[in-house]
Amino acid sequence: MKTVKAVVITILTTALTITMLQGCSEQDKKSKTVASQKAAEQQGDVVEQVTIEDILPESATTSYNCDDSSGMTADKRFWCLGLKAWSQSEHFDEGSSARDEFINAWKLGALDAQQARDPAIENLQTRPLAAAGYESGYVSVLDAIGIVEYECSEGEETDNEYRDRWCEAANAYNSSRLGSPANAVLRGTYINGYMSGRAIALTLPTSMESLFGGESTPQEGAKKAIDEPDSDTPKSIQVFYRGFNDGFQAMIDTVRESVNQVMEQMQGMPGMDGMPPGMEGMPGMDGMMPPPGMMDPMAPPMPGQ
Protein backbone atom coordinates (compact mmCIF):
# COMPACT_ATOMS: atom_id res chain seq x y z
CA MET A 1 0.00 0.00 0.00
CA LYS A 2 2.84 2.37 0.85
CA THR A 3 4.44 1.54 -2.51
CA VAL A 4 1.25 2.46 -4.38
CA LYS A 5 0.99 5.75 -2.47
CA ALA A 6 4.58 6.54 -3.29
CA VAL A 7 3.95 5.82 -6.95
CA VAL A 8 0.83 8.02 -6.91
CA ILE A 9 2.83 10.88 -5.42
CA THR A 10 5.51 10.39 -8.06
CA ILE A 11 2.91 10.49 -10.85
CA LEU A 12 1.25 13.60 -9.47
CA THR A 13 4.63 15.32 -9.14
CA THR A 14 5.51 14.33 -12.68
CA ALA A 15 2.14 15.53 -13.97
CA LEU A 16 2.61 18.89 -12.27
CA THR A 17 6.02 19.28 -13.87
CA ILE A 18 4.70 18.35 -17.29
CA THR A 19 1.76 20.72 -17.12
CA MET A 20 4.21 23.56 -16.50
CA LEU A 21 6.01 22.84 -19.76
CA GLN A 22 4.87 24.54 -22.91
CA GLY A 23 5.47 23.37 -26.39
CA CYS A 24 5.52 26.83 -27.81
CA SER A 25 4.16 28.10 -31.07
CA GLU A 26 6.06 26.46 -33.91
CA GLN A 27 7.78 29.05 -36.04
CA ASP A 28 8.03 28.72 -39.79
CA LYS A 29 11.02 26.49 -40.52
CA LYS A 30 11.97 28.43 -43.59
CA SER A 31 12.16 31.69 -41.61
CA LYS A 32 14.34 30.03 -39.00
CA THR A 33 16.66 28.72 -41.69
CA VAL A 34 17.00 32.20 -43.18
CA ALA A 35 17.78 33.67 -39.75
CA SER A 36 20.36 30.98 -39.04
CA GLN A 37 21.99 31.51 -42.41
CA LYS A 38 22.07 35.26 -41.80
CA ALA A 39 23.83 34.76 -38.46
CA ALA A 40 26.31 32.39 -40.09
CA GLU A 41 26.97 34.85 -42.89
CA GLN A 42 27.58 37.64 -40.40
CA GLN A 43 29.99 35.41 -38.48
CA GLY A 44 31.72 34.49 -41.73
CA ASP A 45 32.20 38.08 -42.89
CA VAL A 46 35.83 38.97 -43.34
CA VAL A 47 36.55 41.61 -40.71
CA GLU A 48 39.97 43.19 -40.51
CA GLN A 49 41.48 42.63 -37.11
CA VAL A 50 43.73 44.93 -35.16
CA THR A 51 47.41 44.74 -36.09
CA ILE A 52 50.58 46.31 -34.77
CA GLU A 53 50.40 48.92 -37.55
CA ASP A 54 47.06 50.11 -36.15
CA ILE A 55 48.62 50.66 -32.75
CA LEU A 56 51.87 52.32 -33.75
CA PRO A 57 50.89 55.56 -35.54
CA GLU A 58 53.31 57.39 -37.77
CA SER A 59 52.77 60.64 -35.91
CA ALA A 60 52.86 61.28 -32.20
CA THR A 61 49.74 60.46 -30.21
CA THR A 62 47.75 63.43 -28.90
CA SER A 63 47.98 63.84 -25.15
CA TYR A 64 45.31 65.30 -22.87
CA ASN A 65 45.20 66.85 -19.42
CA CYS A 66 42.88 64.42 -17.69
CA ASP A 67 42.70 66.59 -14.56
CA ASP A 68 40.78 69.15 -16.62
CA SER A 69 37.20 67.91 -17.13
CA SER A 70 36.34 70.64 -19.64
CA GLY A 71 36.09 69.73 -23.29
CA MET A 72 35.59 66.06 -22.51
CA THR A 73 35.29 64.72 -26.04
CA ALA A 74 34.89 61.03 -26.81
CA ASP A 75 38.55 60.78 -27.82
CA LYS A 76 39.70 62.51 -24.64
CA ARG A 77 37.50 60.28 -22.47
CA PHE A 78 38.88 57.16 -24.15
CA TRP A 79 42.45 58.42 -23.89
CA CYS A 80 42.09 59.23 -20.20
CA LEU A 81 40.58 55.82 -19.46
CA GLY A 82 43.53 54.25 -21.23
CA LEU A 83 45.92 56.44 -19.28
CA LYS A 84 44.34 55.30 -16.02
CA ALA A 85 44.78 51.67 -17.06
CA TRP A 86 48.38 52.43 -18.03
CA SER A 87 49.11 54.00 -14.64
CA GLN A 88 47.85 50.83 -12.95
CA SER A 89 49.78 48.46 -15.19
CA GLU A 90 53.16 46.86 -14.63
CA HIS A 91 54.51 48.84 -17.60
CA PHE A 92 54.04 52.22 -15.89
CA ASP A 93 57.08 54.54 -16.05
CA GLU A 94 58.49 52.94 -19.22
CA GLY A 95 58.37 56.26 -21.06
CA SER A 96 55.94 58.28 -23.15
CA SER A 97 56.33 56.15 -26.29
CA ALA A 98 55.48 53.02 -24.31
CA ARG A 99 52.57 54.87 -22.75
CA ASP A 100 51.19 55.85 -26.15
CA GLU A 101 51.51 52.30 -27.47
CA PHE A 102 49.66 50.95 -24.45
CA ILE A 103 46.86 53.54 -24.68
CA ASN A 104 46.38 53.08 -28.42
CA ALA A 105 46.11 49.32 -27.91
CA TRP A 106 43.77 49.85 -24.95
CA LYS A 107 41.39 51.96 -27.06
CA LEU A 108 41.27 49.39 -29.85
CA GLY A 109 40.66 46.56 -27.38
CA ALA A 110 37.77 48.45 -25.81
CA LEU A 111 36.26 49.22 -29.23
CA ASP A 112 36.46 45.58 -30.32
CA ALA A 113 34.72 44.46 -27.14
CA GLN A 114 32.00 47.10 -27.54
CA GLN A 115 31.35 45.80 -31.05
CA ALA A 116 31.36 42.15 -29.86
CA ARG A 117 34.25 41.33 -32.18
CA ASP A 118 36.56 38.40 -31.58
CA PRO A 119 39.62 39.54 -29.59
CA ALA A 120 42.67 40.09 -31.78
CA ILE A 121 45.25 39.69 -29.04
CA GLU A 122 47.03 36.88 -30.90
CA ASN A 123 48.03 39.41 -33.57
CA LEU A 124 49.92 41.41 -30.96
CA GLN A 125 52.04 38.72 -29.31
CA THR A 126 55.22 40.15 -30.84
CA ARG A 127 54.62 43.34 -28.82
CA PRO A 128 53.87 42.41 -25.17
CA LEU A 129 53.15 46.02 -24.31
CA ALA A 130 50.50 46.34 -27.05
CA ALA A 131 49.03 42.95 -26.10
CA ALA A 132 48.75 44.05 -22.46
CA GLY A 133 47.05 47.31 -23.41
CA TYR A 134 44.63 45.64 -25.83
CA GLU A 135 43.65 42.97 -23.30
CA SER A 136 43.17 45.58 -20.59
CA GLY A 137 40.84 47.60 -22.85
CA TYR A 138 38.86 44.53 -23.90
CA VAL A 139 38.44 43.31 -20.33
CA SER A 140 37.41 46.78 -19.13
CA VAL A 141 34.28 46.52 -21.30
CA LEU A 142 33.50 43.02 -20.01
CA ASP A 143 33.70 44.35 -16.46
CA ALA A 144 31.54 47.36 -17.32
CA ILE A 145 28.69 45.28 -18.75
CA GLY A 146 28.91 42.65 -16.02
CA ILE A 147 30.09 39.58 -17.96
CA VAL A 148 30.28 36.63 -15.54
CA GLU A 149 33.12 34.15 -16.08
CA TYR A 150 33.69 30.69 -14.62
CA GLU A 151 36.39 28.08 -15.06
CA CYS A 152 34.75 24.92 -16.36
CA SER A 153 36.02 21.36 -16.30
CA GLU A 154 34.28 18.89 -18.56
CA GLY A 155 31.80 16.72 -16.68
CA GLU A 156 32.46 18.40 -13.33
CA GLU A 157 29.44 19.15 -11.12
CA THR A 158 29.71 21.44 -8.11
CA ASP A 159 27.44 22.72 -5.34
CA ASN A 160 26.99 25.94 -7.36
CA GLU A 161 23.96 25.28 -9.55
CA TYR A 162 24.29 28.53 -11.49
CA ARG A 163 27.94 27.84 -12.26
CA ASP A 164 27.09 24.33 -13.50
CA ARG A 165 24.33 25.62 -15.77
CA TRP A 166 26.64 28.43 -16.96
CA CYS A 167 29.24 25.86 -17.95
CA GLU A 168 26.54 23.82 -19.68
CA ALA A 169 25.55 26.91 -21.66
CA ALA A 170 29.20 27.80 -22.39
CA ASN A 171 29.78 24.32 -23.79
CA ALA A 172 26.68 24.70 -25.96
CA TYR A 173 28.01 28.03 -27.26
CA ASN A 174 31.38 26.49 -28.10
CA SER A 175 29.57 23.77 -30.08
CA SER A 176 27.30 26.26 -31.85
CA ARG A 177 30.09 27.85 -33.93
CA LEU A 178 28.38 31.21 -33.57
CA GLY A 179 31.65 32.83 -32.60
CA SER A 180 35.10 32.25 -31.23
CA PRO A 181 35.28 30.61 -27.77
CA ALA A 182 37.46 33.60 -26.83
CA ASN A 183 34.67 36.07 -27.65
CA ALA A 184 33.32 36.61 -24.14
CA VAL A 185 30.79 39.20 -25.34
CA LEU A 186 28.98 36.94 -27.80
CA ARG A 187 29.32 33.99 -25.45
CA GLY A 188 27.77 36.01 -22.61
CA THR A 189 24.87 36.99 -24.90
CA TYR A 190 24.31 33.36 -25.87
CA ILE A 191 24.48 32.21 -22.24
CA ASN A 192 21.93 34.84 -21.18
CA GLY A 193 19.60 33.52 -23.86
CA TYR A 194 20.28 29.91 -22.87
CA MET A 195 19.50 30.57 -19.21
CA SER A 196 16.32 32.44 -20.15
CA GLY A 197 15.18 29.60 -22.38
CA ARG A 198 15.67 27.05 -19.60
CA ALA A 199 13.65 29.16 -17.20
CA ILE A 200 10.83 29.99 -19.64
CA ALA A 201 10.42 26.31 -20.50
CA LEU A 202 9.02 25.79 -17.00
CA THR A 203 6.58 28.68 -17.08
CA LEU A 204 4.45 27.97 -20.16
CA PRO A 205 1.52 25.60 -19.55
CA THR A 206 0.96 22.75 -21.99
CA SER A 207 -1.58 19.93 -22.26
CA MET A 208 -0.77 16.36 -21.32
CA GLU A 209 -2.08 15.27 -24.71
CA SER A 210 0.40 17.49 -26.52
CA LEU A 211 3.38 16.24 -24.51
CA PHE A 212 2.42 12.58 -24.63
CA GLY A 213 1.09 12.60 -28.15
CA GLY A 214 3.93 14.62 -29.66
CA GLU A 215 1.66 16.99 -31.57
CA SER A 216 3.64 18.86 -34.19
CA THR A 217 1.10 21.68 -34.49
CA PRO A 218 0.63 24.00 -31.49
CA GLN A 219 -2.85 24.73 -30.25
CA GLU A 220 -4.44 27.86 -31.66
CA GLY A 221 -3.72 30.88 -29.50
CA ALA A 222 -0.85 29.15 -27.65
CA LYS A 223 1.56 31.56 -26.02
CA LYS A 224 4.94 31.78 -27.72
CA ALA A 225 8.16 31.39 -25.78
CA ILE A 226 9.94 34.09 -27.79
CA ASP A 227 9.43 36.05 -31.00
CA GLU A 228 11.76 35.02 -33.79
CA PRO A 229 13.92 38.01 -34.83
CA ASP A 230 13.98 39.27 -38.38
CA SER A 231 16.77 37.93 -40.55
CA ASP A 232 18.43 41.36 -40.74
CA THR A 233 18.59 41.98 -36.99
CA PRO A 234 22.01 42.49 -35.35
CA LYS A 235 24.08 39.42 -34.71
CA SER A 236 23.85 39.82 -30.92
CA ILE A 237 20.07 39.38 -31.12
CA GLN A 238 20.44 36.36 -33.39
CA VAL A 239 22.90 34.85 -30.91
CA PHE A 240 20.56 35.47 -27.97
CA TYR A 241 17.69 33.86 -29.88
CA ARG A 242 19.80 30.81 -30.72
CA GLY A 243 20.86 30.51 -27.08
CA PHE A 244 17.25 30.82 -25.94
CA ASN A 245 16.09 28.01 -28.22
CA ASP A 246 19.00 25.78 -27.21
CA GLY A 247 18.31 26.36 -23.51
CA PHE A 248 14.58 25.80 -23.98
CA GLN A 249 15.25 22.52 -25.79
CA ALA A 250 17.76 21.44 -23.14
CA MET A 251 15.17 21.85 -20.38
CA ILE A 252 12.51 20.02 -22.40
CA ASP A 253 14.94 17.16 -23.01
CA THR A 254 15.84 17.00 -19.32
CA VAL A 255 12.22 16.77 -18.18
CA ARG A 256 11.32 14.36 -20.97
CA GLU A 257 14.14 12.03 -19.92
CA SER A 258 13.04 12.16 -16.28
CA VAL A 259 9.42 11.44 -17.16
CA ASN A 260 10.40 8.54 -19.42
CA GLN A 261 12.51 7.04 -16.64
CA VAL A 262 9.59 7.24 -14.20
CA MET A 263 7.21 5.67 -16.72
CA GLU A 264 9.63 2.87 -17.54
CA GLN A 265 10.08 2.10 -13.85
CA MET A 266 6.31 2.06 -13.33
CA GLN A 267 5.68 -0.24 -16.30
CA GLY A 268 8.15 -2.71 -14.87
CA MET A 269 6.42 -2.87 -11.48
CA PRO A 270 3.98 -5.72 -10.77
CA GLY A 271 0.40 -4.58 -11.25
CA MET A 272 1.42 -1.23 -12.75
CA ASP A 273 0.60 -1.96 -16.41
CA GLY A 274 -2.22 0.59 -16.30
CA MET A 275 -3.43 3.36 -14.03
CA PRO A 276 -2.54 2.75 -10.35
CA PRO A 277 -5.48 1.67 -8.17
CA GLY A 278 -7.57 4.56 -6.92
CA MET A 279 -6.46 7.02 -9.62
CA GLU A 280 -8.91 6.08 -12.36
CA GLY A 281 -11.62 8.37 -11.02
CA MET A 282 -9.42 11.34 -10.18
CA PRO A 283 -10.35 14.52 -12.10
CA GLY A 284 -8.01 15.23 -14.99
CA MET A 285 -6.34 11.83 -14.88
CA ASP A 286 -8.15 10.37 -17.90
CA GLY A 287 -5.55 9.33 -20.41
CA MET A 288 -2.74 9.90 -17.92
CA MET A 289 -1.03 6.65 -18.87
CA PRO A 290 -0.28 6.62 -22.61
CA PRO A 291 -0.42 3.43 -24.66
CA PRO A 292 2.83 1.43 -24.86
CA GLY A 293 5.31 3.00 -27.25
CA MET A 294 3.75 6.46 -27.17
CA MET A 295 6.39 7.81 -24.79
CA ASP A 296 9.23 7.26 -27.28
CA PRO A 297 9.89 9.83 -28.45
CA MET A 298 8.07 12.64 -26.63
CA ALA A 299 8.31 15.76 -28.72
CA PRO A 300 6.44 18.88 -27.65
CA PRO A 301 6.43 21.77 -30.11
CA MET A 302 9.49 23.96 -29.86
CA PRO A 303 9.90 27.66 -30.62
CA GLY A 304 11.29 28.37 -34.04
CA GLN A 305 10.54 24.91 -35.43
Side-chain angles (χ1 to χ4, degrees):
M1 189 63 180
K2 291 182 178 180
T3 301
V4 173
K5 289 182 177 180
V7 172
V8 171
I9 292 174
T10 301
I11 295 177
L12 291 176
T13 302
T14 302
L16 179 60
T17 301
I18 297 174
T19 54
M20 293 177 67
L21 291 171
Q22 171 62 36
C24 299
S25 176
E26 183 183 24
Q27 301 290 342
D28 183 81
K29 292 183 178 180
K30 183 176 180 180
S31 297
K32 181 182 178 183
T33 301
V34 171
S36 299
Q37 290 175 345
K38 180 67 175 180
E41 290 170 358
Q42 289 177 330
Q43 175 59 28
D45 286 344
V46 177
V47 179
E48 294 184 2
Q49 286 194 317
V50 171
T51 64
I52 292 297
E53 288 72 20
D54 298 321
I55 293 171
L56 302 177
E58 295 180 0
S59 58
T61 301
T62 302
S63 298
Y64 293 98
N65 179 10
C66 297
D67 294 329
D68 181 7
S69 60
S70 62
M72 186 61 74
T73 63
D75 187 67
K76 180 177 179 179
R77 182 179 293 107
F78 248 51
W79 193 91
C80 290
L81 288 173
L83 178 64
K84 181 178 180 181
W86 157 256
S87 66
Q88 297 172 347
S89 74
E90 62 182 13
H91 300 283
F92 187 56
D93 287 338
E94 290 187 13
S96 59
S97 61
R99 179 202 65 186
D100 293 343
E101 181 178 342
F102 182 97
I103 293 176
N104 286 336
W106 188 97
K107 291 193 293 184
L108 292 173
L111 284 172
D112 277 358
Q114 288 180 2
Q115 297 172 15
R117 293 175 60 179
D118 292 345
I121 193 169
E122 290 185 1
N123 296 349
L124 312 177
Q125 293 306 309
T126 58
R127 302 283 297 216
L129 183 63
Y134 182 93
E135 182 177 12
S136 176
Y138 202 97
V139 171
S140 70
V141 175
L142 304 185
D143 292 341
I145 61 180
I147 294 291
V148 177
E149 297 276 273
Y150 289 100
E151 291 290 335
C152 302
S153 299
E154 185 175 356
E156 179 186 6
E157 291 286 328
T158 69
D159 57 0
N160 184 337
E161 180 65 20
Y162 184 85
R163 178 264 183 199
D164 292 343
R165 300 291 71 78
W166 188 96
C167 290
E168 174 188 323
N171 289 333
Y173 168 78
N174 293 339
S175 301
S176 71
R177 298 184 180 181
L178 291 171
S180 166
N183 192 325
V185 181
L186 281 185
R187 182 180 63 191
T189 300
Y190 177 94
I191 290 175
N192 288 339
Y194 190 98
M195 296 294 202
S196 300
R198 281 182 56 93
I200 294 298
L202 294 177
T203 66
L204 300 179
T206 187
S207 66
M208 298 292 287
E209 292 80 6
S210 176
L211 186 59
F212 284 141
E215 297 176 359
S216 58
T217 303
Q219 296 181 356
E220 184 178 356
K223 190 173 184 179
K224 295 188 294 184
I226 189 173
D227 287 328
E228 182 176 5
D230 295 332
S231 59
D232 59 349
T233 54
K235 183 177 181 180
S236 59
I237 298 177
Q238 298 282 356
V239 170
F240 181 91
Y241 178 79
R242 170 69 178 276
F244 184 99
N245 279 347
D246 289 350
F248 193 103
Q249 181 66 63
M251 177 57 76
I252 292 292
D253 291 343
T254 297
V255 174
R256 178 188 302 147
E257 180 180 357
S258 299
V259 172
N260 283 338
Q261 289 177 355
V262 171
M263 294 301 181
E264 289 175 2
Q265 293 172 1
M266 290 176 56
Q267 291 175 357
M269 296 175 61
M272 295 301 292
D273 295 334
M275 186 71 66
M279 294 189 66
E280 294 87 343
M282 292 179 63
M285 298 307 292
D286 294 339
M288 173 68 180
M289 298 296 291
M294 186 176 289
M295 293 297 293
D296 188 20
M298 294 165 56
M302 288 298 302
Q305 293 184 349

